[in-house]
Structure formats: C-alpha cells, structure tokens
Amino acid sequence: MLTAGALALPTGIVVNGWVVVDGERVLATGTGPPPERPSWSLPGLVVPGFVDVHVHGGGGASFDGGRPESVATVVRTHLAHGTTTMVASLVTDSLDGLAASCASLAALADDGLVAGIHLEGPWLSPARAGAHEPSLIVDPTASAVSRLVEASGGHLRMVTIAPERPGALAAIDRLVAAGVVVAVGHTDATYDETRAALQAGATAGTHLFNAMPPLHHRQPGPAAALLESAAYLELVVDGVHVHPAVLALAWRTGRTALVTDAMAAAGAADGEYTLGSLSVVVRDGEARLASTGAIAASTATLASSLRFVTSMAGVPLPDALAAVTSTPAAMLGLEAVGSLAPGAWADLVELSDDLEVNRVMRRGAWVPLS
Ligand SMILES: [Zn+2]
Ligand SMILES: [Zn+2]
C-alpha cells in the first residue's frame, strides 16, 4: 500500500490517492483515507511509468546489435528517469545485421526487458535518411519483410516505412497481417502516397515533421495526410526537433505520443558517439552527424520531454502525461502499461512539483536511481 500527495488515475489527477500493489501488479487504487496502513507515504504526484516507443540508446550504450549488456545499460538509464516500458529501436543496417539484432533482442523481450522491437530502417527514403546510412537503405521486398518478422520471434512491434518505395504498400499489408504497427516516416512521399499507406493499414507517423517534407500549402505532403488521419503521431520534444508552436498544432489532434528517439548520449556526457555505423558528435546535449550536421536522434528522456511540453509549449499536465503513458501504449497495443488500472503492471513514478523524478517502481520493485 502506498499513498500519494496526488495520483494520476485513468479518470484524471486526484489528491490524496492510494495504490495497492500485489506482487508485480496493481491490485486497487483509490482516493481519500487508505483502507490500510501504507508501507510508503509519497508526498509528490504518482503517475504511471513512462512508455517510450522510439528510443535507440542511453547511458553510453545502444540497442543496435542487441548485446545483452548494452541493452541492460540503455534500459537501466531510462528507467532511472521514469521510463518503465521501452521498445528497442534499430537504425538502418544490412539485412544480416538487422536479423541478428532482432534475434538477440527477441530473447531479451521474452525476458520482459524490452517491450518489443522497432525497425526504423532499412525501408526509408535516401532523400530523407537523416541519421541512417543511405547505402544500406533498400526496398521492402516480401522476402526481406518475412525474414525480419521471423527473426523477431513475435516481438516486432513497429516498422517505419517510406510509402513511396516500390513494394511499400504490399509490405504494409504483410506487416499489419503479422500484427506489426506500421509508421510512415523518413519519407519523401506526397500527400496521396501517404494517404495510400494509411489506407493500406499504417496507423502512426514516425517523429512527425522530422525527416519528411515540410507542410506546404500546395504540396501538403506526409505531414498533412498524417495530421488529418486517425494515426498516432510521434513527436520528439527536446527543444531542437520541433518548434513549440508546431508542436501545439499537432497536439490538437489528441493523438500525440512523446518519444525520445534518444541515442547513446542520453543520460551520458557530451562527446563522440556512433549511431548504427555513423559518427555523431554531441555538444550541449545536441546530437548531430559528424559528416553532415544533420540532427542525429536526441539525448532526451521522457521526463525531460514532459517538463519541456508543460513549461515551454503550455500543454496541460494531464494531456502531457497521456502523451508519455496511455497514448504510446495504445499506439502499439501494449497491454497492462500506461495507466494505473487494477491488473496493470505496478510501474509508477513519483514526480516532484517541478516534475523531477523522485522514485520509480517497475513491476512492484523500487528502482535505484543512480
Ligand atoms: Zn528517425
Ligand atoms: Zn529514431
């Protein structure tokens, strides 16, 4: 039994809330006097653990390659910042390299360390490659799609695809049939090509506005097609990727999920890093490709993103919380996470008044924060 100064329930934020944890799960929640003596009395705001559906690394390590020690480092780093559910995002690599990474990550997903795999490449537009190695970008052939779905052993959760690539619509069909969420991104597609992808079953947009043509009044492009659709929209909000005014525009859809798109330097020092096979220089927390200066992922955490949208973009706290918990969980159909409902995993975060992370519980156990 824990009591909280305030508690974010699926119905809204209540004062003087309580949560009963039974083993790894939430047994009950409520407000007012607790039914029994609490084991912990937390003065702050207790919220569901954060859900990051697009993240590459942190703590100096990354998911690429799927090495167990590296994956554990990434997970531990973001966990200390309140992220209790993470999908492992892979940047473009050779098909052999991706298949090996997927197989290794699938074993770690079986153990519950990560909630699944997100392939951000290799089926992207070379014109919008961003921090993906352009020479490794290929068409989504039926055999390549089948190979990576199979290598992931049922843990492939999301694929980012550029719908203008030959074979993309058939690939979307195949991926959706395999239970994979398809996100439009790293694309040079037109408005019509994006609409065709949405009709074929794509239900999300990868870091909306970044790595796609800008919204233009005569060439509305992917951004307009995604905004007007029912798709979930990822936003990277680190003060670098998207201007707060544009963020506020996307926010009106009510379907925005904050993602970190973080690379190895999240929760680590400035310096030189790699993202896939590319060199990245991080200065003042801003990650750029050494070769072209393009934005190369972020060094954000979901906790820092939450603080940014509430303080810099004027987003009300309940809406901002949804964008780091229930909305990303719904986007990928992740069960038992993203809300403090009876039966959910006992994943929760205590936040201070200025939204700093005080305590983190994952699956009923308190997590060391350093
Ligand atoms: Zn990207
Ligand atoms: Zn990414």
Side-chain angles (χ1 to χ4, degrees):
M1 162 73 64
L2 69 83
T3 58
L7 178 64
L9 292 174
T11 47
I13 295 175
V14 298
V15 292
N16 297 327
W18 49 264
V19 181
V20 182
V21 174
D22 182 24
E24 298 187 314
R25 303 270 181 178
V26 174
L27 184 66
T29 59
T31 176
E36 58 188 84
R37 216 180 115 81
S39 308
W40 306 283
S41 297
L42 309 182
L45 168 64
V46 170
V47 304
F50 306 146
V51 178
D52 197 350
V53 295
H54 184 163
V55 49
H56 299 273
S62 75
F63 287 128
D64 297 301
R67 284 173 302 278
E69 325 78 67
S70 303
V71 172
T73 299
V74 181
V75 168
R76 195 171 54 240
T77 300
H78 286 277
L79 188 53
H81 294 277
T83 302
T84 50
T85 300
M86 307 176 64
V87 170
S89 297
L90 296 175
V91 293
T92 296
D93 192 359
S94 66
L95 280 181
D96 287 346
L98 286 172
S101 294
C102 287
S104 179
L105 286 167
L108 300 172
D110 277 336
D111 295 342
L113 199 59
V114 293
I117 301 163
H118 164 216
L119 285 173
E120 204 182 4
W123 305 311
L124 311 176
S125 162
R128 301 283 173 182
H132 293 255
E133 170 55 50
S135 68
L136 296 172
I137 286 174
V138 293
D139 286 334
T141 61
S143 63
V145 169
S146 299
R147 183 170 176 207
L148 295 183
V149 167
E150 278 161 28
S152 303
H155 291 294
L156 185 56
R157 280 284 182 177
M158 180 162 64
V159 167
T160 300
I161 206 161
E164 72 275 25
R165 288 209 75 104
L169 296 185
I172 293 171
D173 212 41
R174 188 168 281 113
L175 287 163
V176 170
V180 180
V181 169
V182 174
V184 173
H186 282 274
T187 175
D188 221 14
T190 63
Y191 171 77
D192 290 330
E193 285 167 336
T194 308
R195 283 184 41 107
L198 292 163
Q199 259 151 24
T203 52
T206 292
H207 45 55
L208 184 70
F209 302 118
N210 293 115
M212 62 179 68
L215 193 59
H216 184 281
H217 53 298
R218 281 186 297 275
Q219 291 158 350
L226 287 164
L227 282 165
E228 72 175 20
S229 76
Y232 291 97
L233 307 171
E234 288 182 7
L235 289 171
V236 182
V237 291
D238 55 353
V240 178
H241 279 70
V242 179
H243 190 282
V246 178
L247 187 154
L249 179 71
W251 208 276
R252 294 187 194 181
T253 64
R255 304 183 314 275
T256 47
L258 297 185
V259 297
T260 60
D261 195 12
M263 42 78 76
D270 282 4
E272 290 175 19
Y273 291 86
T274 56
L275 184 60
S277 57
L278 302 178
S279 299
V280 174
V281 177
V282 178
R283 254 186 228 109
D284 300 327
E286 199 174 312
R288 302 250 175 199
L289 280 191
S291 56
T292 64
I295 296 176
S298 87
T299 62
T301 63
L302 282 182
S304 69
S305 307
L306 183 71
R307 289 190 290 270
F308 185 89
V309 291
T310 50
S311 64
M312 304 301 287
V315 173
L317 182 58
D319 296 354
L321 282 172
V324 293
T325 57
S326 54
T327 303
M331 173 176 159
L332 293 197
L334 300 174
E335 309 245 328
V337 299
S339 90
L340 292 174
W345 291 117
D347 294 348
L348 53 86
V349 179
E350 187 207 6
L351 298 170
S352 67
D353 287 347
D354 48 7
L355 304 183
E356 297 287 340
V357 172
N358 283 347
R359 300 192 76 162
V360 180
M361 175 184 281
R362 184 171 192 261
R363 299 198 176 180
W366 295 109
V367 171
L369 293 194
S370 57

